[in-house]
Amino acid sequence: MQDNLLEYSWVATGVVLALLAVTILWRVYLHYSHKKSYQPGQLIKAQYDALNSLVQQKPVANKLEDICHLIESQIDGALCSVMLKRDNSNSLRAAAGPSLPRPFVSALQDLEIADGVGACGTAAALGQSVIVRDMRLDERFEAFLELIDEHNLVACWSHPIFHAREERVIGTFAVYFRSPKLPTTLDLEFLVRTRDLVALVIEQQELALQREKVEQHHKSLFAYNPQPVFTMDSDGRFISINRAGCELLKLHEHELIGQHYELAVVEEDRERTKEHFEEAKRGNAQSYEIKVADKLGHIYDLDITNTPIIIDGEVTGVHGIARDRTEQRKNEAQLKVLESGIEASVNGVVISDANKPGFPVTYINPAFAKLSGYSFDEMVGRSCRILQGKDSDRKTVHEIRKALHERRQVKTVIKNYRKDGSTFWNELLISPVKNRAGQVTHFVGLQSDITERINKEETLEFNATHDTLTNLPNRKALEKHLASALEREESAVYVLFIDLDGFKPVNDSLGHYLGDQVLIETADRLKNVVLGPNLLCRFGGDEFVAVIENASNKEQVAAFCQEILSVFEQPFQIEGKSVSLSAAIGVASNLAAFNHPMELIQRADVAMYEAKKRGGNSWLWYESKLDERLSFHVALRTQIQEALQHEQFELFYQPIITAAGRIAGVEALIRWQHPERGYISPADFIPVAERTGQIVPISDWVLRQACRDLERLKPYGIGSMSVNFSPIQFYRDDFIEKVKSTLKRYEIQPGELTAEITENVLVHDTQRITELLEQLRELGLDVAIDDFGSGFASLRYLNSLPVNKLKIDRSFTENINENAQNAAITRGILKMVKDLRIQVVAEGVETEAEFAFLAEQGCDYMQGYLFCRPKPLDELLEWAERQQSLENEF
Ligand code: C2E
Ligand code: MG
Ligand code: MG
């Protein structure tokens, strides 16, 4: 607006100057002119026309023509033309020539500016007036001869037109005559002044064009501005408002013009807006935020800039630009919520720049700072790589890097390092963040410390593959290890099945806690012998398995077994108690084409079992003939259980005879009539039952049944019953109590019951066994050592043990009459026990010769097939009856 006014004042000044110039021109001309032909009336009219033309809003061509007419009216025969320099071209075009022939003017539409090109081309080129009296004689018109001849033009006076302020030629002003002619000084003066008038007109035109342009610019800026733009008068009423402003307020321009801005501003912002408005009016530009409401009541957040409108040094109103920040504010509010959410999150959040090398961190939340030990300042700008260390899995690191470079999400778990060097398991979810254009600008990493969970999983994994007591690999790990060893087929694989001899009684007598200590120490001792690449594991209970892969031949394996046995040579010191143990080892190898881990283990187990049967403290190679026993024993475990439930057991009785041939008593021997397999020998199932612990309920049943049957034997003069006790019974806490209650229940008198125990009972923890035996004696039981001479016991014990009977093992009775060695041993035993008041029973007497020999040697009691095989009670009773009647006969 202001600019427009300035423009107008410029034009007005130009016009006033022009008037002045022409008036002076006219006076000067009049003063010097003596020519009658200059008509004052004509000149005044021409002058009026020219001035009128100048102040009018006419096209510039018309204005130039008016000036031409002014000249033509004053100089006789003059035909005037104005040529203007073309923009961006070194040529002139005819802008006016109202009296010249049209074809002539048309021919001058592209006249080159150059010295020698007619009068105008030369004048424009040199910047000097060119006066030609007769063009036909001037070589500069050679090219135009035809043209000037055609139009009968002869003289030409051309003057360069200079820009009013800049020293440059903008065109030419020329006068043509139809006869040769030279100008007078006055003519020249007049022409030069008029030429200046032309310059003024042209400049006026230029200014008008410029003004037009500026106005257009301003208009565009206002109208097409996407931001609301408006002007207000000094009272705050809208003078103008652009389309964006109307659209924002949902009102038409005519509804707004003349309205006070308060119409739109929400009430609570009005006071503040007023303060800013007044300040802008004082000449100080203002920027502030307000809320406005549109016609429908929707609220918008606007940033307002107010500037004063100053015209002629006076503030006439206020200009305003508004920026709609509603969306931005909403986003900002949302961002705030998000930000506080991230700040408060228990998970670590890291944001990094996706477009810088190493993806430097731009943000971490407090949870991450806590997790990693790095503060915000320490972390920002650095790569997350500082969280990695030597224990960070290379594969995972590679996986993360690959995903980052491919700009895709990655979820993984990696071991990271805190600032203090400690490690933690980091569960990571890294996601790319895209801008509106879809380009990845950042990565957001969610991190959680799952160390506890991983540790738990590791423990679970360890526990799943390890035995918790000894920390040795367990059965599962063994099978896995063995499977891969067998698969490799690199070398011979030997499996050593190691089972402790007599651990069960130890465990039962010492209690499980101390039993565990024994197993831990056993594991430790074995670990010292079974070294990598060989594997040692606990198979279960007191069973250990060693997998040997570095033995090149059987001899080495044998030596190895010997070494294992030797670790038991030293007694175990458990809580001040000394416990002696040994082991039985069974060995099987894949050389015998056992290629399934379990197959190999079972074969080694069979061999171990055989080694144990042979007395333990030894090792044995697996042989195929042992196989039959394997399936037999495996099945036996379950079948014993069934036998107990379905009362398949039965007691047979075998009499014990005095040297005089009388029945001294009977021994109860268990029999198992299996419904499908028929008779199963106690020699087969008793050891199995001892290993499984099933011997305890079996023994209980035997004792009860024997006591019950004793009632039926007594009428036949049989008042003594021998019952076999298993070592396992001795290690049960309620052992004595149970015996005691049975005795009570069946009213067993002292001397009526004999407990037969094997020597093995005495091997471990002699002290405790002695006490138990004493307790049995106190209950009125006799105690017999069964199978004497076959085991480890020695005669040394006999005087210190509460034992009053001894049964010489059948192996010494065999052929005693012929076998000198057996005879010597038996004689020795008999001699020794004589003074100890121990009764001796010789087992397995089968022949008269054996009987005779033993009787001669002073053996008081005998047992064997010679006298009677073990029989069911009824049969025995019959036998006893027969015996009685025989005796009576004699
Ligand atoms: P044992 O206590 O030494 O029993 C004697 C074994 O010798 C019996 O074998 C018997 O049948 C056998 N026998 C007796 N006279 C002769 C003979 O002249 N020649 C031969 N060759 N053998 C003879 P059986 O009944 O097979 O019992 C074997 C072992 O099983 C018993 O040896 C005993 O240790 C155990 N046993 C038997 N019944 C029970 C029981 O109820 N409880 C416990 N814990 N063990 C039992
Ligand atoms: Mg016996
Ligand atoms: Mg025996």
Side-chain angles (χ1 to χ4, degrees), residues 667 724 756 786-787 807 809 843:
E667 178 178 5
N724 292 286
E756 291 192 9
D786 205 352
D787 305 337
K807 294 180 86 173
D809 193 65
E843 287 183 318

Side-chain angles (χ1 to χ4, degrees), residues 654 667 670-671 702 724 786-787 810 843-844 846 864-865 870:
Q654 186 180 32
E667 178 178 5
I670 193 165
R671 291 294 175 265
V702 169
N724 292 286
D786 205 352
D787 305 337
R810 202 172 65 224
E843 287 183 318
E846 292 182 356
Y865 294 168

